[in-house]
Amino acid sequence: MSRKGPAVLLAFVLLALAAAGIVLARRSPAPMQTPRAPTAAPPSEPDAPRRAWPTPFSVKVKDLPPREELPPGTIRILVVGDSVAKFLGLAMRYRQDEAQAFVAERGVGNCSMFAPAPYIENGKRLMSSSCSEDWASDVAELRPDVTLIVMGGGFFSKEACSVSFRNAYEKRLFELTRAMGAHAGHIVITRVPYPVKHWRHSNVLARVDCFNEVLVDSAQEGKYDVLDLMNHVCPTVACNLESEGKPIRPDGLHFDGGGAEETARWVLAELRRMNQQAPRH
């Protein structure tokens, strides 16, 4: 082989490398990508403050909060009547959270179902107190889901078994419930229990039976539910005297103290059941 062969080959390789370098130099350099900043997590929102619902202590015992201010599903109950209504309504008020209810009591002590009327006592002319004088305005103001009527001392009238008393009482109750109208919600009339202790004398038990007949007949006439408090508290003539070792009615008539809690729970449960089963218009 001649000496020119390797020299020619080397020259050819150098020319090829030079040409490749020119081509690479003419190409545009690849753009540099700016590294992406890590995406910041959205700032966490502070927890919304828990809503403070009304409690038995934040609302006057005679009042009911508006429906929209109570937890959904709360049943609003108004208890009206005499002193037995006052005590029972208060016992219900302090057990209301267990039944998802809110209770107002507007009972009147030492009163009659009838309108106020003058009477003579010890030579003085006095005016009687009426349990029912404000019922229509009470329901118009509060608009309860349920109105519970409790006249626990209606048997005090010595005429409770007379035809005249029956007719007058039924007429009065009819007038009152009609005056309350739709504002009262679901009306429930209470069949009352026998009293015990010093309240039980002479023919009181017979008068209670007569009075309860008037209440049941009035409820049937008006198509109202009956809360059978009589059967719950007095399944026998002797009546239940204690609950969990505490007196149900310490004075023999009024539901009060720790012994009344079971009765209050039962009443609340019954009213919720009745209201759920009531026909909707």
Side-chain angles (χ1 to χ4, degrees):
M1 176 183 277
S2 67
R3 292 181 179 177
K4 291 182 178 181
V8 173
L9 180 59
L10 178 61
F12 178 78
V13 172
L14 292 174
L15 287 173
L17 290 174
I22 293 171
V23 172
L24 290 174
R26 287 180 179 178
R27 288 184 180 177
S28 300
M32 294 182 63
Q33 294 185 352
T34 304
R36 296 178 61 184
T39 304
S44 59
E45 296 183 2
D47 293 338
R50 181 174 294 181
R51 182 169 182 177
W53 302 108
T55 73
F57 308 98
S58 67
V59 178
K60 293 181 180 179
V61 73
K62 292 182 176 293
D63 291 341
L64 283 176
R67 186 170 288 103
E68 60 272 14
E69 293 182 7
L70 293 170
T74 300
I75 179 174
R76 301 165 67 253
I77 301 169
L78 170 63
V79 183
V80 297
D82 57 15
S83 60
V84 176
K86 286 182 68 68
F87 278 82
L88 180 60
L90 188 61
M92 293 165 61
R93 178 73 175 259
Y94 293 117
R95 298 272 69 83
Q96 65 184 21
D97 290 345
E98 301 167 26
Q100 199 177 357
F102 210 101
V103 179
E105 71 83 7
R106 294 200 176 186
V108 179
N110 191 26
C111 62
S112 164
M113 169 76 82
F114 298 104
Y119 67 99
I120 304 298
E121 183 177 291
N122 298 326
K124 295 182 179 180
R125 190 174 187 272
L126 304 174
M127 184 66 68
S128 66
S129 175
S130 174
C131 303
S132 57
E133 193 173 12
D134 297 323
W135 286 4
S137 58
D138 285 342
V139 298
E141 174 191 349
L142 299 181
R143 307 292 180 96
D145 298 308
V146 176
T147 297
L148 177 65
I149 299 174
V150 185
M151 294 299 301
F155 61 85
F156 287 149
S157 172
K158 296 181 180 179
E159 305 299 320
C161 291
S162 70
V163 174
S164 60
F165 176 88
R166 171 186 290 270
N167 291 340
Y169 207 94
E170 287 184 358
K171 179 182 178 182
R172 175 65 173 168
L173 194 53
F174 179 83
E175 292 172 349
L176 290 166
T177 54
R178 288 298 181 270
M180 288 192 288
H183 293 332
H186 187 62
I187 294 176
V188 179
I189 296 176
T190 305
R191 185 169 175 258
V192 300
Y194 295 131
V196 294
K197 296 187 175 182
H198 66 278
W199 304 97
R200 183 177 289 202
H201 56 79
S202 62
N203 66 339
V204 162
L205 299 190
R207 296 206 307 254
V208 172
D209 289 338
C210 292
F211 180 60
N212 276 331
E213 287 178 7
V214 174
L215 295 174
V216 171
D217 289 347
S218 298
Q220 290 176 345
E221 179 69 22
K223 296 181 172 56
Y224 306 130
D225 276 328
V226 174
L227 178 76
D228 197 353
L229 191 60
M230 166 67 137
N231 188 60
H232 183 74
V233 178
C234 298
T236 67
V237 173
C239 298
N240 297 329
L241 302 180
E242 293 186 349
S243 173
E244 297 182 356
K246 301 174 183 177
I248 298 171
R249 295 177 289 173
D251 68 350
L253 182 64
H254 301 100
F255 297 88
D256 195 16
E261 292 184 357
E262 186 278 331
T263 301
R265 291 188 182 99
W266 176 82
V267 172
L268 287 164
E270 284 294 287
L271 295 182
R272 175 169 284 281
R273 178 186 63 80
M274 291 176 184
N275 192 58
Q276 289 174 340
Q277 295 177 353
R280 305 300 177 194
H281 301 289

